[in-house]
């Protein structure tokens, strides 16, 4: 048994990081997507970074694409938290993520080339985060190719429409354990070589079974390549769980940045058309080691309409000119893959479900400017099942959503304005009425309204230290 002295040694520097009333009031915030991704989380994280100290990614990998527009410059972030543009803040890639180390190095170099500070002090990567290896991307693509060729009746192709960034296969290995590599393993070449001997043998056979014709994987070559990557990333790789608890104990405030979104959550989304992590707020404790009791503000990010990339059910999808109009006005093309996003009306049934699931205390309604100029707008307030019965409860299952018809409420539109509103009260009356209807349905306040992509184009109920 460990003696008490040893146990103390492993405790965070100050025991105030326990969930005491004091720590609960220290201002830790979570930002999570309430739809199927691309709600503008990156922009809102950037805005909120001004009044937080540590910005933490807890899930996903390079499947995320978060856009920040600041002072006329556009940044697309995939693995590095959107707080990185503030040089004095600390960014953390938590243990719940899957890290493609070559991608993260590429992202770091691109940011540095634009004058953004990225070093071992302001970017920390969990030593327990799992590594996306090259074969994960090959497996992802090969499985998608195979599934694209298989159709199941009216349901069409069985492909998920993944980003092909190796996310599913990397998380599968995490759960399988014996074939996984973690960031800390990259710092220990002999241990890495030992593991890769087994993994390369098994993986070569699996890739061949999936129809990927390649040379058998050479464990020594892979070890050399990834040990070199490990040396490059060594200044960043650390035990982020203790680092976060130390930060809490020092009175610093944390901002958790969700990637992907609640309706893509592996347990609670439209399974199987989901991603492979808990991307709702429920993923934060496991993905960072910070218990949920530390988070007292959960800001759900909701587009003023709906979009989805990839396959899967989308009850309010518009396969017509209105959908095209939303796509063009909102520039709805993927940040990661460039794919056109599927567009549709706001689905309040779905968003009320994800608000509940994430414990959202407030909502940021983004891309609100995109809705200006429509004569009328629709919001989905209930679902009609194929047997004619109605429900206002979301059905988090692709099969369960088959044949669901949206029941709409129609709201009057508002004209495009040449002068942007300075605050919510300055919006046209019908625009305010739209926001009020959404608040009434969701039962939580809209704390921010996005009226353009720039960080300054954000109407905020309370000042957050930006324009
Ligand atoms: P994320 O993945 O949730 O961070 O969102 P993405 O960055 O993938 O997609 C959101 C897109 O909308 C990006 O192009 C943003 O620059 C843009 N955007 C964010 N907020 C607003 C807004 O309020 N209005 C407009 N017009 N664009 C916005
Ligand atoms: P951000 O953080 C939009 C979708 C993919 C696909 C499914 C599974 O930018 O909001 P995966 O590659 O994760 O195995 O793909 O999930 N998807 C996203 N869609 N935005 C994202 O991230 C997404 N991350 C995953 O399109 O349908
Ligand atoms: Mg995105």
């Amino acid at each position: 048994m460990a003696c008490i002295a040893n146990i103390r040694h492993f405790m965070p520097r100050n025991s105030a990081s326990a969930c005491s009333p004091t720590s609960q009031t220290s201002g830790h915030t979570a930002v999570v997507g309430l739809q199927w991704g691309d709600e503008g989380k990156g922009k809102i994280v950037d805005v909120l970074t001004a009044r937080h100290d540590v910005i933490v990614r807890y899930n996903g990998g390079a499947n995320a694409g978060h856009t920040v527009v600041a002072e006329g410059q556009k940044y697309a972030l995939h693995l590095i938290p959107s707080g990185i543009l503030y040089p004095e803040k600390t960014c953390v890639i938590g243990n719940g993520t899957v890290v493609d180390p070559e991608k993260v190095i590429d992202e770091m170099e691109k940011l540095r080339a634009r004058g953004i500070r990225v070093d071992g002090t302001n970017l920390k990567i969990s030593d327990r985060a799992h590594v996306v290896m090259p074969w994960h991307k090959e497996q992802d693509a090969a499985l998608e190719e195979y599934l694209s060729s298989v159709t199941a009746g009216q349901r069409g192709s069985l492909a998920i429409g993944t980003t092909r960034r190796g996310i599913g296969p990397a998380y599968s290995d995490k759960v399988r354990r014996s074939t996984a590599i973690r960031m800390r393993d990259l710092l220990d070449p002999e241990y890495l070589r030992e593991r890769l001997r087994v993994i390369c043998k098994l993986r070569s056979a699996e890739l061949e079974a999936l129809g990927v014709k390649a040379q058998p994987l050479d464990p020594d070559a892979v070890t050399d390549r990834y040990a070199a990557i490990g040396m490059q990333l060594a200044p960043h790789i650390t035990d982020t769980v203790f680092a976060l608890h130390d930060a809490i104990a020092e009175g610093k405030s944390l901002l958790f940045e969700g990637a992907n979104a609640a309706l893509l959550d592996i347990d609670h989304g439209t399974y199987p058309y989901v991603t492979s992590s808990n991307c709702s707020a429920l993923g934060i404790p496991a993905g960072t080691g910070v218990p949920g009791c530390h988070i007292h503000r959960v800001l759900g990010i909701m587009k003023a309409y709906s979009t989805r990339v990839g396959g899967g059910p989308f009850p309010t999808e518009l396969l017509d000119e209105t959908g095209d109009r939303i796509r063009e006005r909102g520039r709805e093309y993927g940040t990661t893959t460039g794919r056109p996003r599927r567009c549709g009306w706001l689905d309040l049934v779905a968003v009320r479900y994800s608000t509940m699931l994430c414990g959202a205390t407030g909502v940021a309604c983004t891309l609100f400017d995109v809705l200006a100029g429509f004569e009328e707008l629709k919001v989905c307030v209930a679902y009609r099942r194929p047997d004619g019965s109605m429900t206002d409860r979301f059905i988090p299952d692709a099969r369960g959503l088959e044949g669901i018809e949206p029941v709409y409420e129609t709201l009057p539109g508002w004209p495009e304005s040449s002068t942007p509103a300075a605050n919510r009260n300055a919006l046209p009356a019908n625009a305010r009425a739209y926001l009020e209807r959404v608040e009434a349905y969701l039962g939580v306040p809209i704390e921010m309204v996005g009226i353009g992509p720039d960080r300054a184009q954000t109407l905020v109920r309370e000042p957050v230290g930006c324009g």
Side-chain angles (χ1 to χ4, degrees):
M1 248 170 91
C3 71
I4 288 179
N6 279 344
I7 290 170
R8 265 208 203 110
H9 179 71
F10 291 113
M11 290 296 282
R13 268 173 222 138
N14 179 335
S15 58
S17 105
C19 282
S20 63
T22 334
S23 67
Q24 284 183 38
T25 54
S26 60
H28 309 303
T29 305
V31 164
V32 287
L34 295 178
Q35 292 152 316
W36 285 283
D38 304 324
E39 299 90 351
K41 299 176 289 294
K43 174 190 162 174
I44 300 297
V45 167
D46 169 71
V47 168
L48 290 175
T49 295
R51 62 172 193 190
H52 292 80
D53 303 300
V54 186
I55 299 78
V56 195
R57 273 280 302 269
Y58 60 90
N59 78 295
N63 52 352
H66 295 178
T67 316
V68 177
V69 183
E71 285 148 24
Q73 297 283 314
K74 184 171 171 174
Y75 302 88
L77 298 151
H78 299 283
L79 272 155
I80 297 181
S82 304
I84 198 72
L85 304 185
Y86 292 71
E88 72 285 9
K89 310 288 176 170
T90 304
C91 287
V92 172
I93 300 177
N95 59 277
T97 62
V98 285
V99 177
D100 182 336
E102 287 181 327
K103 278 247 178 268
V104 91
I105 290 171
D106 181 57
E107 213 172 315
M108 283 159 65
E109 283 169 357
K110 286 192 174 132
L111 285 168
R112 285 191 195 120
R114 295 176 74 180
I116 307 296
R117 175 186 167 209
V118 188
D119 57 34
T121 313
N122 76 336
L123 177 65
K124 298 183 189 300
I125 305 175
S126 168
D127 55 2
R128 279 181 253 160
H130 280 249
V131 181
V132 176
M133 298 297 284
W135 46 80
H136 291 138
K137 288 176 269 188
E138 287 182 272
Q139 284 177 294
D140 196 355
L143 191 58
E144 283 289 287
E145 288 301 325
Y146 169 69
L147 290 172
S148 306
S149 66
V150 185
T151 48
Q154 287 188 328
R155 254 169 276 147
S157 155
L158 292 182
I160 287 170
T162 73
T163 58
R164 302 191 178 201
R165 296 295 186 271
I167 306 301
Y171 277 114
S172 303
D173 273 347
K174 172 178 178 171
V175 177
R176 184 149 74 161
R177 297 152 296 164
S178 47
T179 46
I181 304 279
R182 303 205 287 183
M183 290 305 288
R184 60 178 299 140
D185 303 339
L186 304 185
L187 305 177
D188 186 345
E190 280 329 298
Y191 181 68
L192 183 63
R193 194 179 309 276
E194 216 175 84
R195 292 187 71 76
L196 282 170
R197 283 210 177 104
V198 176
I199 295 170
C200 286
K201 192 163 178 207
L202 290 170
R203 208 39 49 94
S204 294
E206 285 169 6
L207 284 171
E208 209 180 313
L210 273 171
V212 180
K213 288 186 184 49
Q215 294 287 317
L217 293 162
D218 173 1
D220 289 318
V222 182
T223 306
D224 293 347
R225 179 172 157 197
Y226 277 83
I229 289 173
M231 271 174 62
Q232 219 177 325
L233 289 176
H236 304 272
I237 301 173
T238 190
D239 185 330
T240 53
V241 174
F242 275 103
L244 291 175
H245 281 271
D246 285 343
I248 295 171
E250 286 161 17
K252 296 197 168 138
S253 63
L254 273 44
L255 175 60
F256 298 92
E257 175 175 356
N260 330 126
L263 301 179
L264 292 171
D265 186 288
I266 183 74
D267 284 293
H268 303 288
T270 49
Y271 196 89
Y273 297 93
V274 291
T275 188
S276 303
S277 64
N278 286 117
C279 29
S280 65
L282 298 168
I284 298 174
T288 61
V290 176
C293 58
H294 282 291
I295 304 159
H296 79 285
R297 181 184 184 201
V298 179
L299 189 62
I301 316 301
M302 179 202 77
K303 253 179 212 189
Y305 47 92
S306 308
T307 62
R308 176 161 204 169
V309 199
F314 184 176
T316 63
E317 182 168 17
L318 292 165
L319 297 165
D320 58 10
E321 277 174 15
T322 308
D324 294 343
R325 189 168 162 196
I326 293 176
R327 184 176 308 105
E328 293 318 312
R329 282 186 59 83
R331 293 190 214 102
E332 293 293 356
Y333 295 88
T335 312
T336 300
T337 59
R339 289 179 289 179
R341 295 174 183 147
R342 300 158 64 189
C343 297
W345 295 123
L346 180 60
D347 185 342
L348 287 174
V349 175
V351 176
R352 186 162 64 185
Y353 163 76
S354 45
T355 299
M356 169 188 83
L357 193 70
C358 294
T361 52
V363 165
C365 177
T366 55
L367 292 115
F368 193 58
D369 50 304
V370 175
L371 293 188
F374 283 84
E375 205 151 285
E376 53 183 34
L377 301 156
K378 290 184 179 178
V379 291
C380 169
V381 292
Y383 290 163
R384 187 175 293 109
R385 299 192 187 89
D387 66 4
S389 63
M390 307 264 273
T391 180
D392 63 359
R393 293 191 160 198
F394 188 67
I395 305 157
D397 177 77
R399 178 83 168 131
L401 280 168
E402 268 175 33
I404 286 293
E405 294 281 341
V407 177
Y408 287 118
E409 224 172 79
T410 302
L411 301 169
W414 55 91
E416 193 101 48
S417 165
S418 50
T419 40
N423 57 52
R424 188 164 152 179
N425 292 336
L427 290 168
N430 287 348
R432 280 184 277 131
Y434 187 93
L435 295 172
E436 280 155 22
R437 178 67 188 112
V438 173
E439 282 175 326
Y441 191 96
L442 298 181
V444 290
I446 293 177
E447 296 178 13
M448 290 185 181
V449 180
I451 54 163
D454 196 277
R455 102 170 21 143
Q457 293 171 302
T458 316
L459 308 180
V460 186
R461 269 236 169 111
E462 290 168 15
V464 292
C466 83

